[in-house]
Amino acid sequence: MRRRPGIGGLQTHAAARDQFRLLGENVAKIRTDLMKEQLATFRSQLEDFARKHKNDIRKNPAFRSQFHEMCAKVGVDPLASNKGFWAELLGIGDFYYELGVQIVDICLATRALNGGLINLQELCHLLRQRRKNDRGVVSEDDCLRAISKLKVLGSGFEVISVGKKKLVRSVPTELNKDHNEILELAQTQGFVTVEEVERRLSWNSGRAIDALETLLDEGLAMIDDGHRDGKRRYWFPCVSPISSLIGVDS
Amino acid sequence: MQKLGEFKLPHFFNYPPYFTLQPVRDTREKQIQLWKELILDFCKTQKIFVIGLEEEFPLFTNHAIERSLTHEAREAFLSALVSEGRAEWMDKGHRKCLILWHRIQDWADILIQFAKDNGLEDGVVTIEEIRSGTESQGTELQGIDRTILNRALKQLEQKGKLVVFKGTSTDDEGVKFSI
C-alpha cells in the first residue's frame, strides 16, 4: 500500500491497519467457528455411531476397546461422569462401576491368600466366573479400565508390571526394585530359593534374605520347607497359575 | 480338581507352601482356617471320627506334590479345631483326636429325630441297633463312633430324654427313650 504523505496518509494507514486487524480477527473467528462446527459434527457422528452399535459395544470387548480409543482421540471420555449422554445411552458408566466394585471385592477376598497382589489374568478369570450369568464378556482391557477408574477415586489400586505379567495391587505395600526382581524371577516356577536369588541376580546373601523376608512379612510370599532337598522355597501366590489358589466363588 | 476317592480336594491342597506351617501370623491364620474346613469336611463325608497324628491320614500327605504335613503342623491344625469345639484330644500326648464334625449337641438332636422317625418316643433300643440296625441304615447314625454316641446319650440322659441301661454284655447295652 502506498504511503501517502501527511496526516491524511497516516490516518489512511491507521485505518488500513485496523481493517487488517478486523480481518485477522474475523479469520480467526471463522477458523474457530469452523473447528467448533467440525467438532460438533464429529461428536454427533460419534453419538450416532454409539447409538447404532450400542449392543456391540456392550457385548464385544474388542469392539468396546476400539470404541474407547476412538473417543480418546477426540478427547471424549464416556466414563467421565455417571450422568449425561454417554452414561445414559450406553450404560457404560454403570458397567465399569459395577466391574470396579466386583474387582475390589475379589481383591479383598483373596488378600489373605496373596498378600494383596493378584495376577491380572487371575483377577479377570475370577471376575468372569463371578459374572457367568451376565451378558457380555469381560476382557483384560475392561479390567484395566475399571481399575484406572478406581485409581481416580484414590482407592489405592494400581497395576504394576513384573516381567511379562501384570499384577494388580490392592494394598499400599510399595514394592521396590529388589522385590520386583524377585517376583519376576519367581514367575518361571512360582517360587525361588535364597541361593537362586543370589546366583541369578548376583546379590549377596543379606540382600536376598532381606528382600525375601519383607515379601514374606507383607503376606506376598509363603515358605515351603517340605522339599526333600531340604532347601527352603519362597512361593508367590500372585505369580502362580490360577489352579494353585483356592477358587473364590461368589 | 484332584480327588481322594469321591472327595473333591480344594486347590490349596496342591500348593506346596500350605504343607508348611507359616510363620507370618495373618498368613498362618488363613492357612489354619483352610485346613480346619478341609479336615471337617473330609471327616464328615468319609465318616471318620478319630485322627491319629502319627498315622497315615490321607489329608496329611499329598503324593502328587511330594509334601507331607509336619507333626507340628498336624497338631496346630487339630488344636485349632479343638479350640473351636469341633474336636477333642483323646490323650494327654495329643496323639489321637476325636473329630466332632457334628457337635455332641447335634448328635443328640439327631438321636431324638431318630427316635421320632421310628416311633421310639417311649421305646427301647440297644446301642448296637442305633449304630448298625436296619433303622439306622443310610442315616448319619450308621457307624457312629461309640465314644461320641455315649457322650450324646449321656447329654440326653441328663436332660431326662432317655435312660441308658446296661445289659448282660456290651451288646445288650440299651436305651429307653422318654421324649
Side-chain angles (χ1 to χ4, degrees):
Chain A
M1 200 181 63
R2 205 162 47 88
R3 286 261 302 266
R4 281 168 56 208
I7 293 180
L10 281 169
Q11 279 175 330
T12 318
H13 182 74
R17 218 178 41 234
D18 277 338
Q19 281 189 333
F20 273 132
R21 183 169 48 82
L22 275 167
L23 188 61
E25 279 173 1
N26 272 337
V27 168
K29 187 165 183 299
I30 289 169
R31 273 216 214 108
T32 315
D33 284 346
L34 250 177
M35 222 160 51
K36 278 192 193 150
E37 203 185 291
Q38 275 182 336
L39 270 174
T41 312
F42 192 94
R43 201 194 151 112
S44 91
Q45 282 182 333
L46 199 56
E47 287 170 6
D48 275 342
F49 179 88
R51 233 182 248 112
K52 255 190 228 137
H53 298 272
K54 184 161 122 174
N55 277 328
D56 285 322
I57 293 171
R58 270 210 181 109
K59 287 195 196 147
N60 185 329
F63 198 83
R64 189 157 57 228
S65 170
Q66 286 182 327
F67 174 70
H68 275 291
E69 269 182 43
M70 217 164 53
C71 289
K73 282 202 173 108
V74 258
V76 170
D77 183 1
L79 304 183
S81 123
N82 219 20
K83 303 189 193 135
F85 170 76
W86 294 104
E88 277 162 31
L89 173 66
L90 302 172
I92 262 189
D94 285 338
F95 172 72
Y96 286 103
Y97 174 74
E98 197 185 286
L99 267 191
V101 170
Q102 288 174 325
I103 286 172
V104 170
D105 224 20
I106 290 172
C107 287
L108 285 176
T110 56
R111 190 175 286 181
L113 296 162
N114 57 31
L117 208 58
I118 184 171
N119 195 316
L120 179 64
Q121 248 185 320
E122 161 132 31
L123 176 61
C124 286
H125 172 84
L126 292 172
L127 198 53
R128 278 179 217 126
Q129 267 188 343
R130 195 180 265 235
R131 295 174 64 90
K132 246 188 314 229
N133 301 318
D134 293 354
R135 20 163 229 303
V137 175
V138 170
S139 65
E140 278 184 17
D141 186 75
D142 290 322
C143 286
L144 287 171
R145 280 185 206 281
I147 292 167
S148 71
K149 288 298 148 192
L150 286 174
K151 257 176 86 171
V152 162
L153 296 172
S155 52
F157 277 68
E158 202 175 357
V159 179
I160 62 175
S161 289
V162 171
K164 291 183 222 128
K165 299 211 176 142
K166 290 201 174 72
L167 304 178
V168 178
R169 197 190 77 193
S170 60
V171 284
T173 311
E174 285 292 333
L175 288 181
N176 64 29
K177 194 159 170 296
D178 277 5
H179 300 146
N180 228 299
E181 285 190 76
I182 289 178
L183 280 176
E184 201 174 328
L185 197 58
Q187 273 177 16
T188 347
Q189 293 176 285
F191 68 85
V192 295
T193 59
V194 174
E195 192 188 62
E196 215 180 313
V197 170
E198 287 171 11
R199 189 173 27 100
R200 300 274 295 272
L201 302 177
S202 304
W203 290 357
N204 65 39
S205 177
R207 184 175 173 186
I209 292 177
D210 235 11
L212 287 168
E213 288 295 309
T214 306
L215 288 166
L216 192 64
D217 282 336
E218 294 292 339
L220 295 170
M222 293 177 76
I223 55 163
D224 166 28
D225 290 333
H227 199 277
R228 64 183 123 90
D229 66 12
K231 292 190 197 153
R232 170 171 282 193
R233 282 156 171 71
Y234 291 79
W235 289 80
F236 295 88
C238 59
V239 302
S240 289
I242 291 158
S243 53
S244 306
L245 294 177
I246 195 168
V248 178
D249 294 324
S250 51
Chain B
M1 216 177 209
Q2 208 186 321
K3 287 192 185 181
L4 254 179
E6 276 306 306
F7 185 80
K8 277 196 189 138
L9 290 163
H11 290 296
F12 83 84
F13 190 76
N14 288 315
Y15 199 52
Y18 278 96
F19 283 80
T20 302
L21 197 58
Q22 294 299 306
V24 175
R25 190 196 59 184
D26 287 349
T27 315
R28 185 174 60 243
E29 275 172 15
K30 185 66 188 180
Q31 177 189 28
I32 289 178
Q33 188 204 328
L34 288 170
W35 274 102
K36 277 196 310 194
E37 280 167 19
L38 173 58
I39 291 171
L40 278 180
D41 248 348
F42 184 75
C43 287
K44 183 172 182 180
T45 50
Q46 309 293 310
K47 285 214 167 171
I48 292 171
F49 297 91
V50 177
I51 295 179
L53 261 77
E54 274 134 38
E55 284 153 35
E56 279 301 312
F57 183 59
L59 291 183
F60 287 164
T61 305
N62 184 342
H63 295 287
I65 58 169
E66 292 179 22
R67 293 292 188 277
S68 218
L69 287 175
T70 60
H71 186 96
E72 193 197 1
R74 298 174 192 196
E75 198 176 339
F77 300 152
L78 290 171
S79 292
L81 278 174
V82 171
S83 301
E84 220 183 285
R86 303 311 297 263
E88 284 176 12
W89 290 114
M90 293 170 82
D91 60 316
K92 279 212 177 75
H94 290 192
R95 278 188 303 257
K96 276 199 190 308
C97 195
L98 188 70
I99 307 297
L100 299 171
W101 37 268
H102 274 322
R103 294 172 200 270
I104 301 292
Q105 175 61 57
D106 299 331
W107 284 114
D109 291 340
I110 290 172
L111 276 167
I112 299 285
Q113 193 57 50
F114 169 79
K116 287 183 180 167
D117 287 345
N118 292 288
L120 288 164
E121 288 91 335
D122 261 321
V124 175
V125 71
T126 68
I127 302 238
E128 263 319 298
E129 275 173 338
I130 295 176
R131 293 186 71 233
S132 55
T134 33
E135 288 91 3
S136 69
Q137 297 295 331
T139 71
E140 290 195 288
L141 287 172
Q142 185 180 15
I144 181 179
D145 177 86
R146 290 216 63 155
T147 318
I148 290 179
L149 180 55
N150 286 336
R151 295 270 296 278
L153 289 171
K154 198 162 175 191
Q155 200 186 81
L156 287 170
E157 198 174 33
Q158 281 168 349
K159 288 192 180 148
K161 302 281 183 186
L162 53 84
V163 175
V164 179
F165 56 88
K166 291 207 185 309
T168 48
S169 67
T170 329
D171 287 340
D172 283 349
E173 263 186 325
V175 169
K176 175 166 185 336
F177 287 100
S178 15
I179 301 171

